[in-house]
Structures are given as C-alpha cells and as structure tokens.
Amino acid sequence: MYKNDKVIRRYSEPFKLKILDELTTGKLNKYQLGKAYGINPTTINEWIKKYNRKD
C-alpha cells in the first residue's frame, strides 16, 4: 500500500444501529465506542445525523 491510499470501510446497517444503541445507553461515549470498535468518532456523528438520533 502507498502512503496516500485510504481504506474504505463499509458497515452494515444493523452494526450502525447497534453502535447507536450502545451510545444511547450511556455506558460509553463516542470516543470510547470508536476506540473499542475501531471507528472514527466523526463517523459515529454522521450516523447520528443519518438516523436523526438525538444522542
């Protein structure tokens, strides 16, 4: 791989909803969930906007 190559990850809808549900329970915040699952917190923000969540 080259330095500027980006890996595009695709997440399934059930996985996204699972992450948002975990965020809703309040046990972990966006940064902790991101670290646990290897997801950028800005990606979680995009999912919140996409699914009109008020988390």
Side-chain angles (χ1 to χ4, degrees):
M1 265 179 126
Y2 296 102
K3 184 177 181 183
N4 293 334
D5 287 347
K6 290 186 176 183
V7 175
I8 298 174
R9 294 190 178 120
R10 304 278 181 199
Y11 300 101
S12 67
E13 192 151 339
F15 179 75
K16 294 176 188 178
L17 294 172
K18 175 186 169 203
I19 297 297
L20 293 177
D21 286 339
E22 287 187 28
L23 184 63
T24 304
T25 61
K27 292 181 182 176
L28 299 173
N29 63 28
K30 286 182 267 191
Y31 301 102
Q32 292 168 329
L33 283 169
K35 200 169 225 182
Y37 290 99
I39 305 168
N40 195 327
T42 56
T43 302
I44 297 173
N45 284 336
E46 291 173 12
W47 296 346
I48 291 170
K49 289 177 190 174
K50 179 180 178 181
Y51 293 104
N52 294 323
R53 302 293 285 254
K54 304 297 183 207
D55 305 300

